[in-house]
Amino acid sequence: MANTIDNRIILKRFRRIIRGHLAKPEQFPYQVSINNNGDHFCGGALIHEKWVLSAAHCLKYFTSTQNFYAVMGAIYLDRADPKYVQVSRVTAYFPFPRYDPWGNPNNGNITRNDHDLVLLKLQNRIQHTSRVQPIRLPNPIHDKLSLENMQQCIVSGFGTVKDTRQSHILKYLTVPIVEREQCARGHRPKRIKDFHICAGYWHGGSDACNGDSGGPLTCYSNEGPILIGIVSWGVECARHGTYGVYTRVSRYIRWINQTIERYS
């Protein structure tokens, strides 16, 4: 891990959660900013000392990770303190095998951005601190939690506001989990599948947005935060009558564990 941090590598453009709250130090130690030679383009969740989970569509237009960096422990990306922030080059990425960025009805009726997950391998092993720690993955018990027990969920990231003003600050937003049937009313019903989770507000106004993709949807249990979803897609940002759609992490635990074991 480098002892000094070049802020040009950390970020050039800033984007954020719509109507979010300013995150506090140590509040989201698993939050990752993924950038391409200094340009933040997606979020991620630290799930292992050398692995980050994000959205596969973030890498749709890239053919190499040569200039990819993962930034961890930051609240203000333009004022990254090397005492707290850790930066690692991304050396490889592994999208879920059935992910198809364009959709293919001949491939198991997969539509665009189904199975929207990617694992990013870090060059450097992270140092566990109060500001940089992996988040726990869900298990089948968490997947069966009632909606009532999952009401306190949080999405966090550095994404855009609706009027495209830019921010360098980590923001978060509390969002309610929405039943699949209700979510489908705001989208084409066949696009909402059992490997999705929907969250947000029918009236709109608060949501994840561009640049938040790949970031964590975290729900809380007695054991602490659990990574329930990864920001995937939505109709515009915070639009009335629609919800944010997240990839349901619990459906991919076997693939995650097998990939980490094979390529570590």
Side-chain angles (χ1 to χ4, degrees):
M1 188 72 62
N3 292 324
T4 60
I5 296 175
D6 186 344
N7 283 335
R8 292 172 300 175
I9 289 178
I10 293 178
L11 195 59
K12 293 177 183 176
R13 296 193 301 248
F14 310 114
R15 298 171 175 170
R16 64 183 173 93
I17 293 276
I18 293 176
R19 290 192 178 180
H21 306 286
L22 173 63
K24 299 176 182 179
E26 305 179 11
Q27 187 174 7
F28 304 108
Y30 47 83
Q31 179 74 45
V32 179
S33 166
I34 303 168
N35 70 61
N36 179 36
N37 199 30
D39 287 325
H40 169 87
F41 64 92
C42 269
L46 183 68
I47 62 169
H48 181 276
E49 56 191 6
K50 289 192 72 173
W51 292 87
V52 171
L53 189 64
S54 186
H57 80 261
C58 289
L59 281 70
K60 181 163 59 175
Y61 298 106
F62 294 101
T63 58
S64 169
T65 63
Q66 181 177 356
N67 296 314
F68 284 9
Y69 293 86
V71 181
M72 296 150 287
I75 300 295
Y76 299 92
L77 287 170
D78 64 338
R79 288 180 272 151
D81 189 333
K83 292 187 298 183
Y84 304 113
V85 174
Q86 299 181 37
V87 180
S88 177
R89 187 183 295 273
V90 176
T91 59
Y93 66 95
F94 304 89
F96 185 74
R98 294 189 65 196
Y99 169 73
D100 188 329
W102 312 111
N104 184 354
N106 298 319
N107 185 17
N109 199 31
I110 293 176
T111 54
R112 182 165 58 92
N113 288 336
D114 281 358
H115 306 296
D116 191 13
L117 281 185
V118 65
L119 278 163
L120 306 175
K121 185 178 181 181
L122 305 182
Q123 183 178 54
N124 302 316
R125 195 179 304 273
I126 64 105
Q127 301 172 12
H128 288 252
T129 70
S130 61
R131 299 197 185 193
V132 179
Q133 296 178 22
I135 187 172
R136 288 190 309 113
L137 294 174
N139 58 43
I141 294 176
H142 299 132
D143 197 40
K144 295 178 181 178
L145 288 174
S146 69
L147 291 175
E148 180 180 354
N149 291 332
M150 294 177 65
Q151 287 301 303
Q152 292 302 315
C153 298
I154 290 176
V155 58
S156 53
F158 298 94
T160 55
V161 293
K162 195 167 186 178
D163 59 8
T164 71
R165 285 180 300 173
Q166 297 177 334
S167 171
H168 57 278
I169 305 171
L170 178 61
K171 297 272 187 170
Y172 72 94
L173 183 70
T174 300
V175 290
I177 301 298
V178 177
E179 293 187 18
R180 181 178 171 186
E181 293 76 12
Q182 181 177 352
C183 182
R185 297 190 192 109
H187 302 284
R188 286 180 294 169
K190 291 184 178 180
R191 287 219 61 190
I192 307 302
K193 301 176 181 177
D194 62 358
F195 46 77
H196 290 135
I197 288 180
C198 296
Y201 300 91
W202 177 259
H203 55 73
S206 301
D207 197 4
C209 197
N210 300 329
D212 294 319
S213 289
L217 174 67
T218 306
C219 298
Y220 289 80
S221 71
N222 294 333
E223 300 170 332
I226 302 168
L227 182 63
I228 296 296
I230 291 292
V231 178
S232 182
W233 60 274
V235 179
E236 298 179 1
C237 298
R239 180 177 174 179
H240 172 79
T242 65
Y243 300 96
V245 181
Y246 302 77
T247 302
R248 186 187 294 262
V249 174
S250 61
R251 300 300 172 91
Y252 301 89
I253 297 300
R254 182 178 180 183
W255 167 74
I256 291 170
N257 290 335
Q258 288 178 342
T259 302
I260 291 176
E261 181 178 359
R262 180 177 181 181
Y263 295 102
S264 289

